[in-house]
Amino acid sequence: MTLTGNDEHTGRPRRPRTGRRRRPVAILIGLSLAGGLLLTGCGASDSNGSSTDGSNKSGGRGFPQPAPNRTSGTSQGERKNTPTGDASREFAPSPDYLSTFALDVDTASYGYARRALADGRLPEASTVRPEEFVNSFRQDYRRPDGNGFSVTVDGARTREKDWSLVRVGLATRDAAQSGERPPAALTFVIDISGSMGEPGRLDLAKDALGVMTDRLRDDDSIAVVTFSDEARTVLPMTRLGHHRDRIYDAIRGLEPTESTNLGAGVRTGYATAVKGLREGATNRVVLISDALANTGETDADAILENISTARREHGITLFGVGVGSEYGDALMERLADKGDGHTTYVSTIEDARKVFCEQLPQNIDLTARDAKAQVAFDPETVKQFRLIGYDDRQVADEDFRNDRVDGGEVGPGHTVTALYAVRTRPGASGHLATASVRWLDPDTRAPHEESGQLETGSLDEDLWTSSTRLQVDAVAAYFADDLRTGDDKANPLPGALPLGELADRAHRVASAAEDKAVDDLANAVERASGLMG
């Protein structure tokens, strides 16, 4: 079920932010009344959606609305106070039945987990982020006609009494055709430290970059920066035009050397990007590394503090591409978060070519800046809910419309999926939730919103007979949750299956989906089941 509303331009663009970027840490919210409530170059219900203007759209029922429209305020994006530890696995009382988070299109966690399992080991629980598992798969949401998002809200009942999985799906327009997109100015910052000599690291990156260079347009530009114990600009910003041979030579000449001074690489990369800045083009730094920093500055905040002007004033964003059987997941994710970008992980030539060719538009271009979602659950029908993942993306509810508080950056062709475990009140019927997304136009910084709603009557009766794509998302979420818990079965997701049964279910879903990516998911679940015993 896809519901969209009227596009709403609610005010003038704000002045550039001077506050430090902060992405609040997401908690898992549980409620009860008793508690008080990346450049194409490679070949529900019957309710009407509405812009969330704060008015009650439920026919007078008193369900919670998105946070009030704020045109001013003093918040600088401070984090909500959240419990320590793995907060997303807990239920916590909330007085407002609202769940607000910054959008996230990272997929590195799932890619790295697959690599670990293929190597015969379980991924570290701290590297498992459920939303990145779910967002690794294709969705069938309707796309909007223009910039911005469509909103899909659906769900299905699990086999645990009164519990359902509710899915909020957001989609941007398809990637522009090659003749329509703006030119790209891409600064590749490539790790050539000794650890990158392992098969599946630098060799993989070189192959993918060579293929990408074949496909990019003459009006695109590329710069190449390398780093080991120090950083140097191998190729300044260069238009492809008649200079492709220079780019090929720069790529072929990459060889692993010494230690990993990632901080120097990022600083030099941004300096090169600023020097080669092109107005009207997509300006982005692409970091390719195993993120195992061991020389110079190794703290993400300190590394990015040095280039905050380039990020903030010039709008140069960071796309992190992780490689290697040993991978600095936390550092790469933090770099991408603070660099207004996102991460992915590649372990095969096929993965790398997909990222740098097929998915180049959504990984590089931008459709929306500072995008946030807010879901308002109806206390008359909902007793508890739990957001699955998004642990480090929580935003204070009142900051949903505070455009000085950072959200997520999303490109064309992306989808973002958020799954909730929702416990409905026995026998409850009617309105269940309203989901809203707010974002800023990447050029004008004008704010826009879109909304969709869900009724209890629109829930499918059985998760495992619902739409194939919803089942894929459920398998991915249950799989991630199991990898995070291991032997600790406290607070499992409602309707969770033992891992062996989940593997069988995953293979059935893969057969129905006729999608190789889902086959790979099923195989990963089976490997994990064998390793866990």
Side-chain angles (χ1 to χ4, degrees):
M1 172 187 66
T2 302
L3 301 114
T4 58
N6 299 321
D7 189 75
E8 182 181 54
H9 180 176
T10 58
R12 302 290 296 173
R14 295 189 179 279
R15 296 176 63 86
R17 298 185 299 273
T18 58
R20 185 175 176 182
R21 178 178 179 84
R22 299 194 179 184
R23 268 212 176 121
V25 177
I27 66 169
L28 216 162
I29 304 175
L31 309 167
S32 67
L33 283 179
L37 314 226
L38 157 244
L39 303 170
T40 297
C42 305
S45 75
D46 2 63
S47 300
N48 292 325
S50 61
S51 293
T52 51
D53 55 8
S55 61
N56 193 320
K57 307 288 186 180
S58 66
R61 297 184 62 184
F63 68 88
Q65 295 296 318
N69 197 352
R70 291 168 57 117
T71 57
S72 63
T74 59
S75 174
Q76 297 297 314
E78 293 292 334
R79 303 184 181 205
K80 246 184 196 179
N81 292 326
T82 58
T84 59
D86 191 359
S88 73
R89 299 195 52 76
E90 302 169 358
F91 289 94
S94 170
D96 55 13
Y97 279 67
L98 292 174
S99 171
T100 310
F101 59 94
L103 301 197
D104 183 9
V105 295
D106 290 358
T107 61
S109 176
Y110 174 66
Y112 185 50
R114 280 184 56 210
R115 171 65 184 264
L117 290 166
D119 289 345
R121 56 189 173 86
L122 293 170
E124 291 291 331
S126 63
T127 69
V128 177
R129 294 180 289 278
E131 73 277 12
E132 298 187 23
F133 278 54
V134 173
N135 283 324
S136 295
F137 298 94
R138 177 175 60 83
Q139 301 292 349
D140 54 7
Y141 308 138
R142 189 188 69 79
R143 301 281 180 175
D145 295 330
N147 287 335
F149 294 88
S150 64
V151 181
T152 299
V153 193
D154 61 6
R157 300 183 187 277
T158 73
R159 296 177 183 178
E160 186 164 335
K161 184 175 173 60
D162 296 329
W163 283 95
S164 300
L165 283 188
V166 169
R167 178 173 65 166
V168 176
L170 310 173
T172 58
R173 61 174 169 79
D174 286 327
Q177 297 302 308
S178 58
E180 300 172 350
R181 60 145 173 104
L186 309 176
T187 301
F188 288 91
V189 180
I190 304 172
D191 187 345
I192 60 168
S193 62
S195 61
M196 292 291 287
E198 174 193 296
R201 298 192 188 198
L202 187 57
D203 58 338
L204 182 151
K206 290 169 65 173
D207 177 272
L209 293 176
V211 173
M212 182 199 68
T213 302
D214 290 339
R215 306 306 211 295
L216 288 176
R217 299 187 326 202
D218 286 349
D219 61 345
D220 294 324
S221 301
I222 288 179
V224 177
V225 171
T226 62
F227 66 94
S228 54
D229 57 330
E230 59 183 20
R232 71 186 186 98
T233 300
V234 175
L235 182 74
M237 194 64 71
T238 303
R239 300 245 183 155
L240 274 79
H242 301 295
H243 303 291
R244 291 179 191 267
D245 286 345
R246 290 183 62 195
I247 297 169
Y248 293 134
D249 289 344
I251 294 170
R252 281 194 295 263
L254 300 176
E255 295 293 341
T257 57
E258 301 174 27
S259 54
T260 310
N261 192 336
L262 192 147
V266 172
R267 283 196 304 274
T268 303
Y270 270 86
T272 301
V274 170
K275 188 173 182 179
L277 191 74
R278 291 180 57 184
E279 295 296 330
T282 300
N283 293 274
R284 179 163 280 204
V285 169
V286 182
L287 174 62
I288 304 173
S289 176
D290 57 17
L292 300 175
N294 56 24
T295 300
E297 186 57 71
T298 60
D299 177 72
D301 291 349
I303 291 170
L304 285 173
E305 188 69 32
N306 293 319
I307 49 84
S308 60
T309 299
R311 175 182 61 81
R312 186 177 63 248
E313 296 184 5
H314 300 296
I316 300 172
T317 55
L318 179 67
F319 174 41
V321 182
V323 296
S325 59
E326 294 184 19
Y327 167 55
D329 172 80
L331 178 57
M332 184 69 90
E333 187 195 24
R334 186 67 179 144
L335 287 170
D337 284 354
K338 289 185 66 65
D340 291 353
H342 66 285
T343 64
T344 192
Y345 177 89
V346 298
S347 60
T348 66
I349 292 295
E350 180 184 23
D351 289 345
R353 291 188 177 188
K354 186 175 181 180
V355 165
F356 289 111
C357 190
E358 296 172 32
Q359 297 177 343
L360 195 62
Q362 67 194 64
N363 288 326
I364 297 298
D365 205 0
L366 282 181
T367 295
R369 283 188 182 272
D370 291 326
K372 311 184 196 86
Q374 185 169 83
V375 182
F377 289 94
D378 192 331
E380 293 187 24
T381 57
V382 174
K383 188 173 184 179
Q384 288 177 299
F385 68 87
R386 168 181 168 181
L387 174 60
I388 302 172
Y390 293 92
D391 299 351
D392 59 352
R393 296 292 189 270
Q394 187 189 3
V395 174
D397 295 334
E398 63 270 22
D399 284 333
F400 177 59
R401 289 195 175 98
N402 183 345
D403 296 328
R404 291 185 296 174
V405 174
D406 288 322
E409 280 62 47
V410 183
H414 265 130
T415 59
V416 180
T417 300
L419 288 179
Y420 287 86
V422 177
R423 184 181 182 187
T424 53
R425 298 186 180 281
S429 64
H431 180 266
L432 192 147
T434 296
S436 302
V437 59
R438 182 179 178 89
W439 72 96
L440 304 183
D441 182 280
D443 297 320
T444 68
R445 300 280 178 161
H448 303 274
E449 289 185 20
E450 207 73 44
S451 295
Q453 300 186 34
L454 179 67
E455 301 285 317
T456 58
S458 295
L459 292 169
D460 288 334
E461 287 302 314
D462 186 346
L463 174 63
W464 301 120
T465 61
S466 66
S467 70
T468 300
R469 286 293 153 188
L470 178 54
Q471 292 187 59
V472 171
D473 295 340
V475 169
Y478 284 133
F479 181 36
D481 196 61
D482 214 308
L483 289 175
R484 289 210 294 180
T485 58
D487 295 330
D488 176 14
K489 300 303 181 184
N491 295 327
L493 282 177
L497 301 173
L499 202 55
E501 291 182 30
L502 185 65
D504 292 339
R505 178 65 63 181
H507 280 295
R508 275 180 253 165
V509 175
S511 178
E514 297 181 341
D515 182 342
K516 183 182 182 301
V518 187
D519 285 327
D520 293 338
L521 171 62
N523 292 333
V525 177
E526 189 169 10
R527 288 191 190 99
S529 179
L531 289 168
M532 287 185 177

